[in-house]
Amino acid sequence: VALNNFLFSQNYNGTGENGIATVSRALKAVNPKIKVLIYQASSMITNNIYVVDQIVAHPDWWMRDDHGNVVYFREPTTQNPHGHPRVDPTVPGVQAFFTDAPLSYFSSEADAAKYCDGIFADGTNYRDFSRNISEARYKKLFAGKMQMLQLAQERFTKLNSGEVWGNAALEDHPAPDTPANVTWKTILQHFNGAFEEMFGSFSTQNKDGTWNITLMEKSFENIIAASNAGHTIVIHLYPG
């Protein structure tokens, strides 16, 4: 079960129990064998009050383009003058917070070990930062992102044999901002498992709403190849 920060913890401010902890505890009470992974986006983590306040308080964490401009997930407004900056995954503080944030939703690390089985990481396979970042620098950012996810996996392995899953460039028609060197082979070595979003506008739908059968076939070929290579793949099916 992947619990989405956007749904369960938007109003969480760092005190009391996060909605994710409440839902996870309820799920485990029904079936202790359920594995609960907490959804986080790898370039902005999530949008609850606590996380955004922590990001805003650390300007050294902020993603900046090659001109020094902050790259935002949400641009500043009159009501929200700081906005929501994206984070730079090469910064050690960001790498640590990526794992610390979901654990902090629980009353203690022991509580987290019982009710949080890892992270469901989104945005791992494409450049969701800025077009004003050079290819050479992006490769360093991508390497930092993979290091961040590897550290998260190591932390959860020690905590409770937990896992980190991510989306994994399983399509042969990657997002326009996916570098050529980013494939399922370079991504999946960092994960316990992966998910592929299919049958929707992200992957296999043409702009006019029709299905692109050729792209579907290529995606399935990669999913089969990754599976045959020993990787666990979850296919996320949803309407366009």
Side-chain angles (χ1 to χ4, degrees), residues 47-125:
N47 65 340
N48 67 46
I49 296 169
Y50 166 69
V51 167
V52 176
D53 283 351
Q54 292 297 309
I55 293 173
V56 168
H58 293 84
D60 57 310
W61 292 3
W62 300 354
M63 171 66 62
R64 296 181 183 273
D65 65 19
D66 290 351
H67 307 291
N69 301 310
V70 179
V71 181
Y72 288 96
F73 171 66
R74 286 207 173 98
E75 296 282 343
T77 63
T78 303
Q79 293 77 20
N80 183 14
H82 297 293
H84 184 171
R86 293 189 182 273
V87 293
D88 183 336
T90 66
V91 176
V94 171
Q95 295 181 349
F97 187 65
F98 186 79
T99 305
D100 289 341
L103 296 179
S104 72
Y105 298 162
F106 298 85
S107 59
S108 65
E109 188 159 298
D111 196 45
K114 290 172 62 178
Y115 298 110
C116 177
D117 298 298
I119 294 174
F120 196 79
D122 200 2
T124 59
N125 66 325

Side-chain angles (χ1 to χ4, degrees), residues 13-198:
N13 63 5
T15 61
E17 182 167 88
N18 188 301
I20 281 180
T22 306
V23 175
S24 180
R25 190 174 287 108
L27 289 169
K28 296 273 191 177
V30 173
N31 182 355
K33 293 183 180 180
I34 288 177
K35 286 189 175 183
V36 177
L37 305 180
I38 296 180
Y39 174 99
Q40 292 197 148
S42 57
S43 71
M44 44 73 68
I45 303 181
T46 190
N47 65 340
N48 67 46
I49 296 169
Y50 166 69
V51 167
V52 176
D53 283 351
Q54 292 297 309
I55 293 173
V56 168
H58 293 84
D60 57 310
W61 292 3
W62 300 354
M63 171 66 62
R64 296 181 183 273
D65 65 19
D66 290 351
H67 307 291
N69 301 310
V70 179
V71 181
Y72 288 96
F73 171 66
R74 286 207 173 98
E75 296 282 343
T77 63
T78 303
Q79 293 77 20
N80 183 14
H82 297 293
H84 184 171
R86 293 189 182 273
V87 293
D88 183 336
T90 66
V91 176
V94 171
Q95 295 181 349
F97 187 65
F98 186 79
T99 305
D100 289 341
L103 296 179
S104 72
Y105 298 162
F106 298 85
S107 59
S108 65
E109 188 159 298
D111 196 45
K114 290 172 62 178
Y115 298 110
C116 177
D117 298 298
I119 294 174
F120 196 79
D122 200 2
T124 59
N125 66 325
Y126 56 88
R127 181 190 293 141
D128 47 358
F129 305 132
S130 167
R131 297 186 186 279
N132 294 320
I133 293 177
S134 68
E135 189 67 19
R137 182 159 170 252
Y138 176 70
K139 288 180 180 178
K140 293 181 180 178
L141 293 170
F142 177 76
K145 188 186 287 188
M146 293 301 102
Q147 183 182 31
M148 177 178 73
L149 297 167
Q150 192 74 44
L151 291 171
Q153 188 176 90
E154 291 171 4
R155 178 97 178 265
F156 273 101
T157 297
K158 292 178 181 178
L159 180 69
N160 58 4
S161 299
E163 302 180 353
V164 175
W165 286 53
N167 54 348
L170 285 156
E171 64 272 12
D172 271 357
H173 52 291
D177 290 336
T178 301
N181 65 317
V182 178
T183 69
W184 66 264
K185 292 180 181 178
T186 59
I187 291 271
L188 282 177
Q189 60 183 309
H190 302 281
F191 295 127
N192 298 103
F195 63 95
E196 166 69 343
E197 295 175 309
M198 291 190 66

